[in-house]
Amino acid sequence: MTSSPIQPVLAESAPAKVNLTLHVLRRRADGYHELESLVAFAREADELMLTPGGALELEVQGPTAGEAGNAADNLVIKAVRELEKRIAGLKLGTFVLSKRLPVAAGVGGGSSDAAAALRLIARANDIALDDPRLFEAARLTGADVPVCLDPRARAMCGIGEILSEPLGLPELAAVLVNPRVAVSTKDVFARLQINQTSAPVPAVPLAVTSRDQLLEAVAAARNDLEQPAMTLKPVIADVLAALAKQSGCQLARMSGSGATCFGLFGSSSEAETAARNLAAAQPGWWVRSTVLC
């Protein structure tokens, strides 16, 4: 009697998504909002493993697992189920998610996890990453999932489904800070006054040749969700002020719908020093020195 071969465990990182810019252009008749955003990815990430074969299962562990909610409602499961509707006989398996990123934090943690799950299922089933069924499953799972499917810096438009080619942006030394508060994206959009965006919108820089050029373009832009998020969670203003006070901080801004904020620094050493100072001053905050690209 021959035993079945042991299935190899597959692994993928699910990096934090950071909205360097986020412009809300208009509210559509269907209730969704048209956006324009320059998205980069951080080295900070969740980790997802898949043991192919058997029923679809998910175990969530790690420092922020307790904030992630019921595993059955996780976007990892939703993404795979969307793909299963489109591909008959899809090989599934058991996922183990090591949750390290804060939840409901504006860095697309759940969306990046879902995208990593789709990449893992694609590998297990020999599906090309440019298969349109993979993108469709990502789109139907959540607005941020398509940009996380191939996590490289891009311009993101529409409601998240219109993506530029990868941009190859210069690396940016950064500090990510979350004050350990969750923010509802729905509630933030409910507070948004679209006339806030009546000022001319700077173009998303699709081609930059230097870090200084990128920083100048990002600084000229904005995140239109920052003010409405601060009305819901005033601590976001405290985070931005604390980042801006750090030596070497060249820009402090909120990512996505919050509450995670980022500071851009002239060097990794400045970012590391700032992160140590912030963590010491605010031990209850989630603080990470990282690189965005």
Side-chain angles (χ1 to χ4, degrees):
M1 180 178 177
T2 60
S3 59
S4 301
I6 298 174
Q7 293 287 341
V9 176
L10 308 178
E12 283 277 343
S13 288
K17 166 207 62 84
V18 175
N19 298 90
L20 294 172
T21 69
L22 200 166
H23 306 139
V24 183
L25 305 181
R26 67 184 183 93
R27 187 177 188 274
R28 304 190 330 182
D30 61 8
Y32 289 99
H33 290 80
E34 294 276 353
L35 308 175
E36 179 190 69
S37 181
L38 178 61
V39 173
F41 288 87
R43 290 179 181 169
E44 295 300 313
D46 292 337
E47 298 292 333
L48 189 64
M49 295 186 296
L50 170 66
T51 301
L56 177 61
E57 296 181 3
L58 172 64
E59 175 188 344
V60 184
Q61 58 188 28
T64 59
E67 306 163 23
N70 191 324
D73 299 325
N74 195 283
L75 290 184
V76 165
I77 299 296
K78 181 178 179 180
V80 176
R81 291 300 187 201
E82 288 292 348
L83 188 62
E84 191 179 22
K85 294 174 186 176
R86 287 154 182 81
I87 301 178
L90 195 68
K91 182 192 295 184
L92 305 176
T94 300
F95 287 98
V96 177
L97 172 61
S98 295
K99 196 71 187 159
R100 300 168 185 171
L101 299 175
V103 176
V107 291
S111 296
S112 195
D113 297 341
L118 291 173
R119 294 196 299 273
L120 287 170
I121 289 291
R123 285 168 58 188
N125 289 272
D126 295 321
I127 300 168
L129 284 180
D130 61 357
D131 189 307
R133 295 170 295 182
L134 211 62
F135 186 89
E136 183 67 2
R139 185 185 69 81
L140 292 171
T141 301
D144 281 340
V145 182
V147 77
C148 296
L149 198 55
D150 178 11
R152 292 183 284 174
R154 298 174 190 268
M156 180 176 73
C157 299
I159 59 172
E161 82 286 10
I162 302 172
L163 305 175
S164 74
E165 293 297 316
L167 299 179
L169 298 181
E171 291 187 348
L172 296 170
V175 176
L176 302 180
V177 181
N178 183 279
R180 301 277 188 182
V181 298
V183 180
S184 163
T185 299
K186 180 180 178 181
D187 291 347
V188 171
F189 272 103
R191 298 261 180 141
L192 175 69
Q193 299 295 319
I194 299 298
N195 60 15
Q196 286 179 274
T197 66
S198 58
V201 177
V204 171
L206 298 183
V208 293
T209 57
S210 70
R211 182 195 175 280
D212 288 344
Q213 183 184 9
L214 173 60
L215 186 63
E216 181 180 1
V218 171
R222 59 186 186 264
N223 179 348
D224 287 328
L225 300 182
E226 197 171 270
Q227 286 297 325
M230 284 192 288
T231 66
L232 287 169
K233 304 290 182 179
V235 70
I236 294 171
D238 299 334
V239 174
L240 290 170
L243 276 166
K245 289 177 183 176
Q246 299 303 309
S247 177
C249 183
Q250 298 172 315
L251 174 71
R253 182 172 289 161
M254 190 185 78
S255 176
S257 57
T260 303
C261 301
F262 62 91
L264 301 181
F265 290 79
S267 67
S268 291
S269 61
E270 288 177 325
E272 290 163 5
T273 298
R276 286 195 297 269
N277 292 340
L278 286 164
Q282 297 287 349
W285 290 1
W286 182 89
V287 181
R288 297 291 186 274
S289 172
T290 190
V291 172
L292 306 180
C293 57

